[in-house]
Amino acid sequence: MFKALFRTPRDFAILWVRLALGASLLPHGLEKLGVFDEDKGIGEAMSDAAAFMAQATGTPEWAGYLGIAAEVLGSIALILGFFGRFCALSIGALMAVAAWKVGGLEAGEVLTWWRDTPGATTYGSYHLLAVGAALAIVVRGSGALSIDRRIAPRPMP
């Protein structure tokens, strides 16, 4: 049963979806680790990011740390095609919460990114695209050129 999670077809379309999702989300996670901020160390940047995520979503701070882990480790794993279904499910859940609580869906502001509203965070369409990409990977697997394909007991054609 566990190895069935790794079964994936040699699908190049899913490869591109997987790479796009991983590559677009990885900088967001690295930013929360302080990689792009010379003034903060990894601990301070991560603590600030986890506290912000908890405050923005109304969840405990430990959930913010899980979100950061999903963004960083999940993105790297997706790029490599390792344990793709699990990582995509984690990232999809994270992006669904972000779309609802931060991206404006809760306030009915989806797809209004073209409006110039001061202080508004109406960019839910990015989150929805990420959820859609994650769902495609959950359904199809990691696709071509993935570690999952090598691990699977019988690779799919």
Side-chain angles (χ1 to χ4, degrees):
M1 177 70 179
F2 182 72
K3 289 203 176 204
L5 290 174
F6 293 104
R7 291 200 68 210
T8 185
R10 193 172 151 243
D11 188 341
F12 282 91
I14 289 295
L15 164 69
W16 294 116
V17 169
R18 189 184 87 221
L19 291 175
L21 181 59
S24 67
L25 193 60
L26 183 59
H28 292 277
L30 292 176
E31 179 182 37
K32 291 176 178 85
L33 293 180
V35 171
F36 306 116
D37 189 355
E38 297 172 4
D39 298 332
K40 293 183 181 178
I42 187 170
E44 183 183 0
M46 199 157 96
S47 177
D48 289 351
F52 169 77
M53 291 170 74
Q55 183 268 330
T57 59
T59 58
E61 194 167 324
W62 60 263
Y65 286 105
L66 285 179
I68 294 168
E71 286 184 10
V72 176
L73 300 176
S75 294
I76 292 169
L78 275 182
I79 290 168
L80 296 174
F82 179 64
F83 214 23
R85 284 187 169 99
F86 175 77
C87 292
L89 184 63
S90 300
I91 288 170
L94 175 71
M95 290 292 105
V97 169
W100 182 256
K101 297 301 251 177
V102 181
L105 285 180
E106 184 178 36
E109 297 290 336
V110 67
L111 302 179
T112 57
W113 46 266
W114 62 87
R115 291 191 329 193
D116 187 19
T117 310
T121 57
T122 56
Y123 48 90
S125 54
Y126 167 78
H127 299 105
L128 293 178
L129 285 170
V131 169
L135 286 175
I137 297 165
V138 168
V139 170
R140 294 289 290 165
S142 293
L145 304 177
S146 65
I147 294 173
D148 286 356
R149 191 158 164 75
R150 291 195 168 271
I151 293 173
R154 292 168 294 165
M156 296 171 71

